[in-house]
């Protein structure tokens, strides 16, 4: 009995916030994104003790988007802490974005004290019912002793394919109480093990289809990136000679100058393909709900886990499991010989060249206000090969998605299918903190700036020299033009003011700002922005009559 009592007395205890921080450190977390809130003080104290940097922002949505951005550029789980009540509700758009993007992200919430629950404490609200639909796992610590295993569970579930956001909140009284730190559960560690490759019969069926293809294509998306399948994909397309198209975070997984990478010929290739490997991308609105492929195209779906939604059209084979193992297995099952695709590749190459040449006039357009394509022609000439480019806007960023090239994984970040504006500054903050030696360029519409433009103060306070390039056309272009088309020329709630000096706002917040009105001034302004050594905004006036050509996404 005496020995037991002595062992109990020697057991080290920590307050709840320190327990949180110790588990964050154990999972490799180096930065916690947050906006200061009293419910989080204990967690902050724990992070200081454990050497975790606290990166504070001006709005909780940015803290949460920064956590998602960290995940996107590192393929690790990003972490943010949001104070109780409005702190958590302010972060919900980022939760929904991470859910749609399969971004692994752990959200720590403050919570009113359990011992006073139901008596009307400040910011008292039960977060779980409204965050649960947006997360893979959501829970409240029921005691200080529950904190460590819940944090472990949040990480395990967040990283398990498909990745996504998880949420744990901590009552104020429990994070100030003390408890011993338990040993990590083996169950949680087991969940992180890479899945085996897909079923052998499914791989054999896919190989059979691919072996007879003369017009094969690969259409790959973000889950290729999350599943770290780029090396296996490169081996597959190189050996079999398959042209590849990429969207989302898959951009850069095959370099833009690879001989088998295409972008402008996508509609022709998908419609004309006899076999399409659809890797890590859902057949949602971006692929016309399956209608982007030809009626006779045999579709092989490959992903790290089964899709959340039913396929909108019949598929010929489905392969779910480790992407690296599955793609390698598929290559082996085909025998590794080149397909009879030379004529097909040549055909696509001709279309690609023709359509790139057709863009020349826009890229060299001398109008003022500028055509967005002229801006991207100038920007493309000064971007490093490993530059991280972030899109936050509508029409302006749509042009960028078409013409900005990516050469490495994790170099193109856009909002993804949830389409939330205001993501950019949080993504940019995380990207530059994760990769301080690389160019980080934030492409902004003037409308998007209104969501989180104050975060240029955050960038300045933390010494983060992101370069922002704004396409300022004084309208909500993605809404104004379609509205006028639908209703015979009128639009409402679609006009801004191009004369607003967003560049001067950034200067007032501690950054470098510059207004550009003529094409010849873009390149010098970009050079000064990259040399400024602080966050910068190049505010370029663009032509509001230019309309990005697109099909309706309303269906």
């Amino acid at each position: 009995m005496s020995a037991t009592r002595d062992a109990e007395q020697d057991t080290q205890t920590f307050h709840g916030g320190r327990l949180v921080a110790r588990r964050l450190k154990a999972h490799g977390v180096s930065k916690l994104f947050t906006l200061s809130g009293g419910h989080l003080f204990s967690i902050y104290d724990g992070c200081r003790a454990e050497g975790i940097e606290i990166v504070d922002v001006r709005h909780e949505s940015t803290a949460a988007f920064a956590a998602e951005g960290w995940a996107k550029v590192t393929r690790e789980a990003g972490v943010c802490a949001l104070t109780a009540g409005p702190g958590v509700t302010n972060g919900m758009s980022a939760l929904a974005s991470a859910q749609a993007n399969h971004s692994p992200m752990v959200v720590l919430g403050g919570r009113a004290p359990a011992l006073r629950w139901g008596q009307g404490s400040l910011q008292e609200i039960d977060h779980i019912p409204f965050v649960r639909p947006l997360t893979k796992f959501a829970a409240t610590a029921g005691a200080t002793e529950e904190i460590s295993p819940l944090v472990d569970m949040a990480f395990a579930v967040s990283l398990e394919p498909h990745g996504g956001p998880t949420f744990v909140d901590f009552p104020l009284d429990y994070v100030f109480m003390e408890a011993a730190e338990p040993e990590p559960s083996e169950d949680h560690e087991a969940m992180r093990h890479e899945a085996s490759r897909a079923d052998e019969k499914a791989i054999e069926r896919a190989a059979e289809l691919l072996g007879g293809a003369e017009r094969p294509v690969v259409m790959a998306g973000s889950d290729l990136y999350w599943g770290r399948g780029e090396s296996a994909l490169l081996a597959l397309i190189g050996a079999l000679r398959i042209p590849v198209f990429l969207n989302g975070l898959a951009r850069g997984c095959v370099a833009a100058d690879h001989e088998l990478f295409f972008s402008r010929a996508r509609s022709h290739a998908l419609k004309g393909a006899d076999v399409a490997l659809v890797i890590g991308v859902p057949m949602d609105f971006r692929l016309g709900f399956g209608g982007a492929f030809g009626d006779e195209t045999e579709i092989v779906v490959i992903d790290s886990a089964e899709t959340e939604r039913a396929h909108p059209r019949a598929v010929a084979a489905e392969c779910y499991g480790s992407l690296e193992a599955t793609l390698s297995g598929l290559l082996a099952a085909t025998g590794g010989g080149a397909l009879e695709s030379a004529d097909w590749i040549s055909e696509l190459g001709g279309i690609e060249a023709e359509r790139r040449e057709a863009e020349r006039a826009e890229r060299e357009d001398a109008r003022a206000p500028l055509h967005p394509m002229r801006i991207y022609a100038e920007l493309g000439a000064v971007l490093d090969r490993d530059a991280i480019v972030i899109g936050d806007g509508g029409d302006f960023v749509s042009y960028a998605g078409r013409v900005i090239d990516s050469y490495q994984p994790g170099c193109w970040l856009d909002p993804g299918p949830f389409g939330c504006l205001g993501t950019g500054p949080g993504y940019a903050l995380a990207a530059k903190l994760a990769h301080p030696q690389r160019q980080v360029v934030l492409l902004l519409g003037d409308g998007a700036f209104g969501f989180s433009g104050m975060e240029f103060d955050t960038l300045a306070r933390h010494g983060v020299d992101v370069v922002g390039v704004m396409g300022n056309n004084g309208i909500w272009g993605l809404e104004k033009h379609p509205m006028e088309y639908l209703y015979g020329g009128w639009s409402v709630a679609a006009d801004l003011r191009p004369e607003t000096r967003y560049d001067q706002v950034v200067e007032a917040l501690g950054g470098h700002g510059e207004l550009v009105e003529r094409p010849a001034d873009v390149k010098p302004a970009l050079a000064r922005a990259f040399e400024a050594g602080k966050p910068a905004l190049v505010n370029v006036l663009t032509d509001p009559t230019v309309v990005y050509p697109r099909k309706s996404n309303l269906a």
Side-chain angles (χ1 to χ4, degrees):
M1 183 70 70
S2 176
T4 301
R5 188 182 307 114
D6 290 343
E8 290 175 350
Q9 290 174 348
D10 291 340
T11 300
Q12 188 174 11
T13 62
F14 302 93
H15 65 70
R18 183 77 179 272
L19 292 173
V20 171
R22 287 178 65 82
R23 298 318 304 150
L24 296 184
K25 187 175 182 179
H27 288 281
V29 174
S30 61
K31 290 176 174 59
L32 176 73
F33 299 98
T34 192
L35 188 151
S36 188
H39 295 85
L40 304 174
F41 286 176
S42 180
I43 294 175
Y44 296 160
D45 182 65
C47 287
R48 288 182 70 250
E50 296 297 330
I52 296 171
E53 182 182 358
I54 296 169
V55 183
D56 63 308
V57 301
R58 297 299 299 267
H59 195 283
E60 283 94 357
S61 67
T62 297
F65 281 125
E68 191 197 9
W70 184 271
K72 284 187 169 188
V73 297
T74 67
R75 290 193 272 208
E76 303 168 355
V79 185
C80 64
L82 310 177
T83 200
V88 173
T89 58
N90 282 342
M92 287 185 67
S93 288
L95 281 172
S97 175
Q99 181 188 57
N101 293 326
H102 293 163
S103 303
M105 171 177 159
V106 175
V107 179
L108 311 174
R111 187 178 175 96
L115 296 179
R116 289 288 187 185
W117 193 259
Q119 298 180 31
S121 295
L122 175 67
Q123 297 172 331
E124 179 184 301
I125 189 171
D126 186 5
H127 308 123
I128 303 302
F130 54 79
V131 301
R132 182 173 284 130
L134 301 177
T135 59
K136 296 178 68 182
F137 171 77
T140 297
T144 306
E145 291 77 6
E146 293 183 10
I147 288 175
S148 297
L150 281 177
V151 174
D152 285 340
M153 177 65 81
F155 274 92
V157 174
S158 179
L159 290 161
E160 183 185 27
H162 290 125
T166 56
F167 177 89
V168 183
D169 62 3
F170 308 97
L172 183 63
D173 41 0
Y174 294 161
V175 288
F176 277 94
M177 295 177 183
E178 295 209 350
E181 183 178 33
E183 290 295 322
S185 168
E186 293 182 2
D187 293 339
H188 301 161
E189 290 299 316
M191 293 177 69
R192 297 187 59 175
H193 292 171
E194 185 68 31
S196 61
R197 80 184 190 188
D199 178 78
E200 291 298 332
K201 289 185 178 180
I203 291 176
E204 290 172 6
R205 170 60 176 155
E208 178 185 0
L209 291 165
L210 197 54
E214 295 180 352
R215 302 184 309 281
V217 297
V218 166
M219 180 68 240
S222 293
D223 285 333
L224 172 74
Y225 174 76
W226 293 126
R228 301 177 186 271
E230 62 267 22
S231 295
L233 176 62
L234 284 166
L236 179 72
I237 65 171
L240 272 57
R241 308 297 296 167
I242 307 175
V244 62
F245 298 84
L246 306 171
N247 71 11
L249 280 167
R251 291 170 57 129
C253 287
V254 177
D257 55 0
H258 190 287
E259 60 172 335
L260 293 171
F261 171 79
F262 299 88
S263 59
R264 312 309 197 269
R266 190 174 100 168
S267 59
H268 179 87
L270 299 190
K271 278 292 185 183
D274 52 8
V275 176
L277 304 184
V278 181
I279 305 174
V281 58
M283 285 186 280
D284 58 13
F285 69 93
R286 293 166 294 180
L287 292 177
F289 305 101
F293 300 98
D295 293 339
E296 303 302 318
T297 304
E298 298 275 24
I299 295 176
V300 177
V301 173
I302 301 174
D303 210 332
S304 55
E306 292 191 31
T307 57
E308 292 92 346
R309 306 184 190 95
H311 302 305
R313 58 176 286 175
V315 300
E318 298 174 271
C319 302
Y320 299 120
S322 162
L323 289 182
E324 182 178 5
T326 299
L327 293 174
S328 298
L330 179 57
L331 176 57
T334 63
L339 304 176
E340 299 293 330
S341 58
D343 290 344
W344 173 238
I345 293 170
S346 178
E347 177 184 336
L348 296 182
I351 294 171
E352 186 84 7
E354 178 184 331
R355 292 182 179 173
R356 285 179 179 268
E357 179 61 28
E359 296 170 356
R360 182 187 296 273
E362 293 178 335
R363 296 171 74 91
E364 297 176 354
D365 198 309
R367 78 179 69 185
L370 282 72
H371 194 294
M373 289 283 278
R374 178 61 186 269
I375 300 173
Y376 292 132
E378 301 290 347
L379 178 62
V382 299
L383 287 179
D384 295 337
R385 194 173 178 86
D386 65 351
I388 299 173
V389 180
I390 296 158
D392 189 4
D395 273 10
F396 183 61
V397 172
S398 295
Y399 279 106
R402 196 172 95 195
V403 302
I404 293 293
D405 290 325
S406 299
Y407 298 92
Q408 296 180 14
C411 286
W412 171 263
L413 279 63
D414 61 26
F418 192 60
C420 187
L421 296 185
T423 60
Y427 284 1
L429 172 66
K432 192 66 175 181
L433 290 175
H435 301 290
Q437 303 306 316
R438 292 164 66 174
Q439 291 176 333
V440 175
V441 178
L442 171 58
L443 307 176
L444 286 160
D446 51 330
F449 184 92
F451 284 76
S452 49
M454 277 298 295
E455 299 300 344
F456 273 88
D457 168 77
T458 298
L459 300 175
R461 284 187 296 107
H462 293 291
V464 178
D465 55 337
V466 169
V467 172
V469 180
M470 174 183 286
N472 179 1
N473 61 4
I475 61 172
W476 293 96
L478 194 57
E479 286 71 36
K480 185 177 180 68
H481 295 301
M483 199 183 306
E484 291 179 348
Y485 174 80
L486 284 171
Y487 297 112
W490 65 262
S491 63
V492 296
D495 290 289
L496 299 168
R497 298 190 309 157
E499 62 268 25
T500 299
R501 293 297 300 272
Y502 302 100
D503 51 296
Q504 292 182 351
V505 173
V506 168
E507 285 184 333
L509 294 173
H512 166 85
E514 195 163 343
L515 176 69
V516 172
E517 302 179 79
R518 296 180 299 275
D521 296 333
V522 175
K523 190 172 183 179
L526 289 173
R528 287 187 288 270
F530 279 112
E531 294 167 0
K534 54 186 175 181
L537 180 68
V538 180
N539 176 14
V540 186
L541 299 185
T542 57
D543 187 347
T545 68
V546 172
V547 183
Y548 184 81
R550 58 163 50 85
K551 297 178 181 178
S552 173
N553 289 331
L554 301 179

